[in-house]
Amino acid sequence: MKLGKVEFCHFLQLIALFLCFSGMSQAELSRSRSKPYFQSGRSRTKRSWVWNQFFVLEEYMGSDPLYVGKLHSDVDKGDGSIKYILSGEGASSIFIIDENTGDIHATKRLDREEQAYYTLRAQALDRLTNKPVEPESEFVIKIQDINDNEPKFLDGPYTAGVPEMSPVGTSVVQVTATDADDPTYGNSARVVYSILQGQPYFSVEPKTGVIKTALPNMDREAKDQYLLVIQAKDMVGQNGGLSGTTSVTVTLTDVNDNPPRFPRRSYQYNVPESLPVASVVARIKAADADIGANAEMEYRIVDGDGLGIFKISVDKETQEGIITIQKELDFEAKTSYTLRIEAANKDADPRFLSLGPFSDTTTVKIIVEDVDEPPVFSSPLYPMEVSEATQVGNIIGTVAAHDPDSSNSPVRYSIDRNTDLERYFNIDANSGVITTAKSLDRETNAVHNITVLAMESQNPSQVGRGYVAITILDINDNAPEFAMDYETTVCENAQPGQVIQKISAVDKDEPSNGHQFYFSLTTDATNNHNFSLKDNKDNTASILTRRNGFRRQEQSVYYLPIFIVDSGSPSLSSTNTLTIRVCDCDADGVAQTCNAEAYVLPAGLSTGALIAILACVLTLLVLILLIVTMRRRKKEPLIFDEERDIRENIVRYDDEGGGEEDTEAFDMAALRNLNVIRDTKTRRDVTPEIQFLSRPAFKSIPDNVIFREFIWERLKEADVDPGAPPYDSLQTYAFEGNGSVAESLSSLDSISSNSDQNYDYLSDWGPRFKRLADMYGTGQESLYS
């Protein structure tokens, strides 16, 4: 059915008015067939479906499906030939339709906060042909809200601050609660605020949630924090509405509403007079209940007799006033000081000036305690001058010190010898007079810096120190001399009047007007014909030649004595000798050689050859010395000298042998008992000229067993000792043995015995037995030879 534009609009208006007044939750779609309606040459086909929104209540909890609405078409005659189909959001799962009647039901509980509406499509089909009898169209099922969500504070809990002493109505913080229900439908989302905890200090605006102060003069120093509980309730706060709460912590921030106050009206402190400058004397603090910047202090001394002696500053950490010393204290000068000190807040708040002055004062009394102080010198430094010519014991100057204490103890003086190691000066212990103790020499030490000690007689531990600078004044006590060791040469071809050397002088003295030296030749050298001297009048002199034709072979060295006089008073002089060598020079006057020996060398013998000859001679001399040294070492006896010989020795005194030679010492270890049978060992380092036959033992007087064993042990040690002297020192004295071919060779019984034994055969035994042969031979004259 086709309707005109005007008719269609009127139709829609009628449906809207009907729904608004009746509150229906459902609508019927109607289809009307009509002939085309023509207007102004235009035609429009009538819509096949006409619909409005369907409404369904959320949170339905019934056991049966919830009826939503009905679809109907005018084509449907009720004979079951029309079939209704539903598609779109939630079709078949949430929403179902009776295909015969077009009734729509909701099969599940719906939540508007999850989804507020569903968009579906409806279609009517011919059941036999399955062809649409109506075009497919969309419609909306809207979920109708109920009050099922309480207000929530999404930003809670809250913290806020407000200055103390704020007036009533000062805004603190705004809280906001949200409600998930539909704000466009009913009062489910209309929230009002109320305060459950925090009265009477704070209040809250019901509609806006702004928290404000409700009491004046809230003092942080009395209570600095409050806990508020705020409620938000929907349904405009009516009964049955849902509510939610949050907490708000409100902190009172500090303002400078408390002036500083000293806990005491006066303070007293004792300090020793020896306290160093800048030392802390006392700490005082004014109390202030405020905190932070509002409690920052400023201290100053407003009155008193210690304004120039003390100062006060503030400790930034503790806000204490620190009193320190600016000048040294002296008990003898002043025993106490009084200070009037003020403390004030750094930043005052004009709103609270009516509470009183934001400052306070107190009195501080400082008592100076007496301390035993060391003596004090009248001057920190004593400059003195003395001539280096002064005599030992002369007075140089005087120092003075006194005891600053009221006792005024006598003072004794001494010199710190660490500052006068050479002991050039002495000081009188009672008067402080400084005198010389040694001769002074300005050239050795021009200034002496010494320390004088002053000690109290009653308390020697109290020592003061004074400083003395003694300047040694110069006198002319050093003669001038050459400024350096000059090496002067003159060429053989030098011309008369030629300058060969320029000399200058130095003087260890330092005259006030500077040095002035005068040069001349000595009287002996004035008339020489070789050189002359010219004084340049500028502390220098020039040496000139007076002739030409110097020859090295005639004279290679000249000695020129020069007389130098200084300008001191009295003046001093010295004679210095200038050595001048004659040299062979080249065309430019540069010396080539100054050796005079070159002229006396043999013809054809060069300097190099002469050096080679001398080297050979020296080499031969060294070889000869080495050979002589080696020979002497071979001839040296290996016997230890008497002082170093530590062996046991026996010395012969009553031998009747051949004089002094018989008194030589023999090794005690050589003695042995011949009655003990042992193998004879031949020394490897001695080849005997004559080998003796071993003789049988003979009777002898008994010997001591201990002595025999001792000698035997020493003999064994000597035989195996590689360091033993390489010579035989075997001597026998009464142990000659029995059955000897020569029998006893001892001279002890030779005179008294009547033996007619002939010992001439001893001369055949070799040179070692020559002495025995001479002593016991037949010749009477050879007895003591």
Side-chain angles (χ1 to χ4, degrees):
M1 179 179 65
K2 295 183 179 178
L3 297 177
K5 182 177 181 180
V6 176
E7 290 81 0
F8 182 74
C9 292
H10 290 168
F11 181 75
L12 291 178
Q13 291 175 359
L14 291 173
I15 295 176
L17 290 173
F18 176 78
L19 292 175
C20 290
F21 287 101
S22 65
M24 292 177 59
S25 62
Q26 60 182 3
E28 293 186 355
L29 295 177
S30 63
R31 179 180 181 277
S32 61
R33 298 180 180 269
S34 61
K35 296 181 179 180
Y37 176 77
F38 299 95
Q39 182 180 3
S40 302
R42 300 177 60 188
S43 63
R44 178 180 177 89
T45 304
K46 183 181 178 182
R47 291 183 59 181
S48 301
W49 295 94
V50 177
W51 70 89
N52 203 340
Q53 291 180 342
F54 290 93
F55 294 90
V56 61
L57 193 65
E58 69 170 333
E59 304 293 346
Y60 173 71
M61 303 297 292
S63 58
D64 297 329
L66 178 64
Y67 180 74
V68 177
K70 183 180 182 64
L71 293 179
H72 182 71
S73 174
D74 291 342
V75 179
D76 187 3
K77 302 301 183 180
D79 55 0
S81 61
I82 302 300
K83 179 175 64 175
Y84 298 96
I85 297 175
L86 190 64
S87 63
E89 290 181 320
S92 301
S93 60
I94 299 176
F95 302 101
I96 60 176
I97 188 170
D98 188 333
E99 63 179 14
N100 296 318
T101 63
D103 293 333
I104 301 173
H105 291 80
T107 61
K108 293 184 179 180
R109 183 171 64 88
L110 301 177
D111 188 356
R112 188 200 68 83
E113 286 71 38
E114 293 182 2
Q115 188 165 346
Y117 62 89
Y118 295 86
T119 302
L120 293 92
R121 294 183 298 277
Q123 193 172 30
L125 302 177
D126 187 300
R127 188 179 296 276
L128 296 177
T129 62
N130 205 27
K131 292 182 179 180
V133 296
E134 294 286 357
E136 184 180 50
S137 295
E138 288 185 352
F139 66 94
V140 175
I141 298 178
K142 188 174 182 181
I143 310 304
Q144 191 174 8
D145 184 47
I146 65 172
N147 189 19
D148 59 342
N149 289 280
E150 73 277 5
K152 294 182 179 180
F153 293 91
L154 301 180
D155 297 330
Y158 296 85
T159 57
V162 63
E164 62 174 334
M165 298 295 179
S166 295
V168 175
T170 301
S171 178
V172 179
V173 68
Q174 183 179 15
V175 296
T176 302
T178 59
D179 196 320
D181 294 325
D182 190 359
T184 64
Y185 179 77
N187 296 324
S188 298
R190 295 182 63 184
V191 177
V192 294
Y193 300 93
S194 61
I195 183 167
L196 302 182
Q197 177 181 324
Q199 300 97 340
Y201 306 101
F202 299 93
S203 63
V204 62
E205 287 286 342
K207 294 183 179 181
T208 62
V210 175
I211 300 174
K212 298 180 180 181
T213 58
L215 284 180
N217 302 326
M218 285 191 294
D219 191 1
R220 184 199 66 83
E221 288 72 35
K223 184 177 182 181
D224 62 347
Q225 197 171 80
Y226 298 85
L227 180 63
L228 282 63
V229 178
I230 305 297
Q231 182 189 66
K233 190 174 184 180
D234 59 14
M235 298 299 291
V236 202
Q238 298 177 2
N239 292 334
L242 302 178
S243 64
T245 60
T246 188
S247 64
V248 181
T249 302
V250 180
T251 301
L252 297 183
T253 58
D254 187 55
V255 297
N256 193 8
D257 60 336
N258 291 280
R261 292 290 180 263
F262 282 106
R264 296 166 55 185
R265 293 293 90 193
S266 64
Y267 298 86
Q268 179 173 316
Y269 299 95
N270 295 348
V271 296
E273 64 174 333
S274 60
L275 200 65
V277 174
S279 298
V280 175
V281 174
R283 287 176 174 262
I284 60 175
K285 185 178 180 180
D288 193 330
D290 298 322
I291 60 174
N294 298 318
E296 291 183 357
M297 298 287 181
E298 288 182 341
Y299 295 90
R300 64 190 184 98
I301 302 175
V302 295
D303 196 9
D305 54 1
L307 290 175
I309 306 299
F310 303 93
K311 72 173 183 178
I312 188 168
S313 59
V314 63
D315 187 331
K316 300 297 183 182
E317 297 290 334
T318 63
Q319 298 300 317
E320 293 177 308
I322 304 174
I323 304 175
T324 55
I325 301 176
Q326 284 186 296
K327 295 181 180 180
E328 293 183 352
L329 302 178
D330 188 358
F331 173 82
E332 288 70 28
K334 192 172 179 61
T335 60
S336 66
Y337 296 89
T338 301
L339 305 175
R340 188 74 176 169
I341 296 177
E342 179 188 68
N345 279 143
K346 195 173 183 180
D347 298 312
D349 193 330
R351 296 177 299 171
F352 306 104
L353 293 179
S354 59
L355 299 178
F358 277 74
S359 63
D360 195 17
T361 59
T362 188
T363 302
V364 177
K365 187 172 184 180
I366 299 174
I367 305 298
V368 181
E369 297 178 343
D370 187 23
V371 175
D372 191 5
E373 301 173 90
V376 178
F377 282 87
S378 59
S379 174
L381 177 65
Y382 294 88
M384 300 180 183
E385 293 181 347
V386 61
S387 172
E388 63 178 327
T390 188
Q391 299 297 319
V392 174
N394 284 358
I395 296 175
I396 301 174
T398 304
V399 297
H402 69 282
D403 183 7
D405 300 319
S406 57
S407 60
N408 195 18
S409 175
V411 175
R412 294 183 62 83
Y413 302 93
S414 64
I415 293 177
D416 185 355
R417 290 306 176 183
N418 291 323
T419 61
D420 184 27
L421 297 175
E422 300 295 331
R423 295 182 176 269
Y424 284 106
F425 307 99
N426 288 330
I427 189 171
D428 187 276
N430 298 316
S431 64
V433 174
I434 299 175
T435 58
T436 57
K438 282 185 179 181
S439 298
L440 303 176
D441 185 8
R442 187 202 65 83
E443 288 71 36
T444 301
N445 193 352
V447 179
H448 295 266
N449 293 303
I450 63 174
T451 300
V452 176
L453 307 178
M455 294 176 290
E456 291 184 12
S457 299
Q458 297 178 359
N459 186 5
S461 62
Q462 296 296 329
V463 180
R465 285 175 169 77
Y467 303 97
V468 181
I470 303 175
T471 302
I472 310 301
L473 303 178
D474 186 38
I475 63 171
N476 191 25
D477 59 343
N478 291 276
E481 57 187 13
F482 278 157
M484 58 181 293
D485 293 331
Y486 294 101
E487 296 181 359
T488 307
T489 61
V490 60
C491 294
E492 289 183 311
N493 56 357
Q495 299 299 319
Q498 182 177 343
V499 177
I500 62 172
Q501 183 69 59
K502 187 175 183 179
I503 61 174
S504 62
V506 293
D507 194 329
K508 295 180 181 179
D509 298 318
E510 290 185 359
S512 57
N513 297 327
H515 288 291
Q516 181 62 48
F517 300 114
Y518 305 96
F519 301 87
S520 63
L521 296 178
T522 61
T523 305
D524 298 340
T526 304
N527 297 323
N528 78 86
H529 302 289
N530 300 314
F531 305 98
S532 63
L533 181 144
K534 178 185 177 182
D535 193 338
N536 298 323
K537 308 300 183 182
D538 60 354
N539 289 343
T540 65
S542 300
I543 309 300
L544 300 87
T545 58
R546 300 186 66 177
R547 65 179 181 87
N548 59 0
F550 294 92
R551 296 179 61 82
R552 285 177 290 167
Q553 63 273 25
E554 295 178 358
Q555 186 173 349
S556 61
V557 180
Y558 292 89
Y559 299 100
L560 186 64
I562 299 175
F563 188 69
I564 307 175
V565 182
D566 63 18
S567 58
S569 179
S571 61
L572 296 180
S573 62
S574 66
T575 300
N576 299 263
T577 301
L578 182 67
T579 301
I580 304 172
R581 296 184 180 278
V582 180
C583 299
D584 180 24
C585 301
D586 58 12
D588 296 329
V590 178
Q592 298 297 315
T593 179
C594 300
N595 296 327
E597 291 79 0
Y599 288 92
V600 298
L601 292 176
L605 190 58
S606 64
T607 303
L610 180 60
I611 293 175
I613 294 173
L614 291 176
C616 292
V617 172
L618 289 175
T619 303
L620 291 173
L621 289 175
V622 171
L623 291 174
I624 293 172
L625 289 174
L626 289 174
I627 293 172
V628 171
T629 303
M630 294 299 294
R631 287 181 176 274
R632 286 184 176 179
R633 287 187 177 180
K634 288 182 179 181
K635 292 182 179 181
E636 281 183 358
L638 296 177
I639 304 176
F640 298 121
D641 52 27
E642 293 181 1
E643 293 181 359
R644 298 175 58 190
D645 192 0
I646 59 173
R647 297 174 299 174
E648 302 88 345
N649 297 323
I650 183 169
V651 181
R652 224 170 29 210
Y653 292 98
D654 55 351
D655 241 346
E656 298 179 3
E660 293 179 359
E661 292 181 2
D662 288 341
T663 62
E664 63 180 335
F666 295 95
D667 188 3
M668 190 69 178
L671 296 177
R672 67 181 184 276
N673 186 359
L674 296 182
N675 293 326
V676 179
I677 301 176
R678 67 182 185 277
D679 296 335
T680 303
K681 296 182 180 179
T682 305
R683 294 290 294 267
R684 291 176 293 175
D685 51 356
V686 176
T687 302
E689 298 181 4
I690 300 175
Q691 296 184 359
F692 298 95
L693 297 176
S694 60
R695 295 178 293 179
F698 68 95
K699 292 182 179 181
S700 62
I701 60 175
D703 56 355
N704 189 289
V705 176
I706 297 176
F707 181 71
R708 182 173 65 253
E709 290 178 354
F710 173 79
I711 294 176
W712 174 237
E713 293 296 330
R714 289 293 182 270
L715 181 60
K716 288 195 297 182
E717 292 177 3
D719 287 340
V720 299
D721 186 9
Y727 59 86
D728 283 333
S729 58
L730 179 60
Q731 299 291 334
T732 58
Y733 293 86
F735 295 101
E736 290 100 347
N738 297 324
S740 174
V741 176
E743 296 183 357
S744 177
L745 299 180
S746 174
S747 60
L748 297 177
D749 300 329
S750 60
I751 298 177
S752 61
S753 66
N754 296 322
S755 174
D756 56 354
Q757 178 68 37
N758 185 5
Y759 297 101
D760 291 338
Y761 63 90
L762 292 175
S763 59
D764 297 332
W765 287 6
R768 293 193 178 187
F769 295 91
K770 184 178 183 302
R771 178 61 57 85
L772 291 176
D774 293 340
M775 292 173 61
Y776 298 103
T778 56
Q780 186 67 26
E781 68 278 7
S782 63
L783 182 59
Y784 298 102
S785 59

